[in-house]
Amino acid sequence: MLEFNPKRVQGQVRNFERCMASYSFNEPFSRYLTQFYKSNKQMGSSDRRMNSRYCYHFFRLGKALSTLSLQERLVVAEFLCESESAAVALFQPDWISRISDDLLSKIAFISSIYGDFLGDVFPLLEDLSPSINKEEFIISHFVQPDLYIRLQKGKEDVVKKELDRQGVQYQIIAPQTLALANGTNLQQFRKIDGAYEVQDLSSQQTLDGVEFAPKSSWWDCCAASGGKSLLLLDKEPDIKLMVSDIRLSILRNLDERFERAGVKTYFRKKILDLSTPVENLMSGEAFDGILLDAPCSGSGTWGRTPEMLSKIEKSDIDAYADLQKNIASNVIPYLKVGKPLVYITCSVYAQENEEVVNQLAAEFGLEVEEMRTIAGYTKKADSMFVARLKKSS
C-alpha cells in the first residue's frame, strides 16, 4: 500500500497548478521551469522533482480531456504514466487497483469513463506520414523515451567499464549504442567525457545505407551542434567536410563538441542563411554529398518535449515545409551530378517529409533512391524521416 501525506500531496498539486497557470508556451518548458524554481525558492528538491513530473505527465495528454479541471487531467495523466501515484490515491482511490495494469488496459479504463480521448492527444493526426501506425504512435507519448548514447569506435569497452564501475544500468542495443534511463546524469563521469555522444537511437540510424568514400567532399549544410557530422565522421573519418549554419554561436557550440570528441580538424565552416540564395558565398563549390538535416516541427521528438503537443498549429507545419523547400533549392545547385542528397527531419508529418521529397524530385530532376520513416515510437526513441536522392543531371 502506497503511504503518503495528503496535505503534502495537496500542496504539490497546488504548486503544479501555479506552475501551469503562468506558462505561456513561448519558450521551452525546461527553460521556464528553471526560472519558476528560482522564483519559488521555498520549494524543496523533492517538491521540485514532483512538480516537474506532474507537469510533464500532464503535457502528455495533449489537448485530450480539455473540459476537465487541471487537477482532474493531472490525475488521469498520473494514472496513465505511472504505476504508483499519491495524486491518484488521494483524488481517485478507486483507480489504485488498476494503476499497475498494462498501458492499453489503463487507456481502455479511462476511455470507459470519459469516452475515447486518444484522438486528441497528438495534433493534426490526419497529416501524419502514411507509414506511421497512428495508435502505436499516440500511445507511445505516455512513455518516457530512453536516453541513447553512441560510443566512439575503439572506446566501447572504456565507456561500458566506467558505467559498470559507477553502477549505471544500461542496455546494449548495438556495438556502439547503449540505452539508459532518461535523466541519467553522465556529465559527472569525467573519465569518459568525449568517448560517447548523446544521440537518439533513430538519429544514429539516419545515415545507414549511405556510402562515404575516403577523400570525398561532404557538406553538412544545417549542422547545428554537429551530431550528424560526428556520425558521418565516425563512419568515414577521411573525408573533406564543410559545415554551415545560420549563426556563428551555433558553429562555436559545434567546435566545442568536436573538440570534446577528439576531432582535431575538419574541412571548413561557413555562416550561411540558406533560406535565401547564397551564390555570393558559395561560388565554385561542388560536393560529393550533401547532408540536409532540415529545420522542422520536431514532431517525432515530442515524447521528450510533450508541451509541444498543445502548441503546434497547421500554419507552423506550412511554414516549416516552405522553409525546407527553400533551403533544399538553395543547396542542390552545389551537389555534383550522380551524387546523393540526404534529407533528414525529426518530423512525422508528410508535409515536411514525403511531400517535400516528391516536390524536390519533380522540380530538380532528382532520383529518389530511398525514403523511409524510422519508427522510434516502438523502441522508446524519437521518430525520424530520411530520404536519399541522387542528382541525375
Side-chain angles (χ1 to χ4, degrees), residues 1-19:
M1 178 68 68
L2 176 67
E3 295 183 1
F4 63 94
N5 182 323
K7 289 186 177 179
R8 179 77 178 274
V9 175
Q10 290 170 343
Q12 290 170 337
V13 171
R14 284 195 295 271
N15 286 335
F16 154 76
E17 291 172 334
R18 286 193 304 110
C19 185

Side-chain angles (χ1 to χ4, degrees), residues 7 51 60 112 136 152 185 212 264 268 298 314 351:
K7 289 186 177 179
N51 183 70
R60 292 185 184 283
S112 71
E136 287 186 13
Q152 277 200 23
N185 181 11
F212 302 98
K264 302 300 182 185
R268 55 215 160 101
K314 185 65 166 65
Q351 190 175 350

Side-chain angles (χ1 to χ4, degrees), residues 68-140:
L68 302 181
S69 68
L70 284 180
Q71 178 185 297
E72 290 174 305
R73 295 181 75 202
L74 170 63
V75 172
V76 171
E78 278 280 292
F79 176 77
L80 293 172
C81 296
E82 295 288 340
S83 59
E84 278 192 349
S85 172
V88 175
L90 179 62
F91 297 109
Q92 289 288 2
D94 292 342
W95 295 4
I96 286 298
S97 62
R98 298 174 178 265
I99 197 170
S100 59
D101 291 352
D102 64 87
L103 182 53
L104 287 176
S105 297
K106 292 198 287 186
I107 288 171
F109 175 69
I110 294 299
S111 297
S112 71
I113 299 173
Y114 299 105
D116 182 28
F117 66 96
L118 282 184
D120 295 323
V121 170
F122 198 88
L124 306 173
L125 283 176
E126 65 279 6
D127 295 327
L128 291 182
S129 290
S131 60
I132 299 289
N133 182 308
K134 290 183 180 180
E135 183 174 5
E136 287 186 13
F137 178 66
I138 297 168
I139 291 172
S140 73

Side-chain angles (χ1 to χ4, degrees), residues 250-314:
I250 295 174
L251 295 177
R252 283 175 175 163
N253 290 335
L254 179 148
D255 285 337
E256 293 175 3
R257 191 171 180 185
F258 273 35
E259 184 177 354
R260 285 197 304 272
V263 177
K264 302 300 182 185
T265 58
Y266 55 94
F267 193 30
R268 55 215 160 101
K269 60 185 175 184
K270 287 189 178 186
I271 302 170
L272 297 171
D273 180 358
L274 293 170
S275 64
T276 58
V278 289
E279 296 101 328
N280 58 323
L281 296 171
M282 292 290 289
S283 178
E285 298 282 10
F287 297 91
D288 296 310
I290 296 177
L291 181 62
L292 172 51
D293 190 358
C296 69
S297 63
S299 47
T301 71
W302 290 347
R304 301 184 189 278
T305 55
E307 67 269 25
M308 294 298 297
L309 294 170
S310 303
K311 179 183 179 184
I312 203 74
E313 302 292 343
K314 185 65 166 65

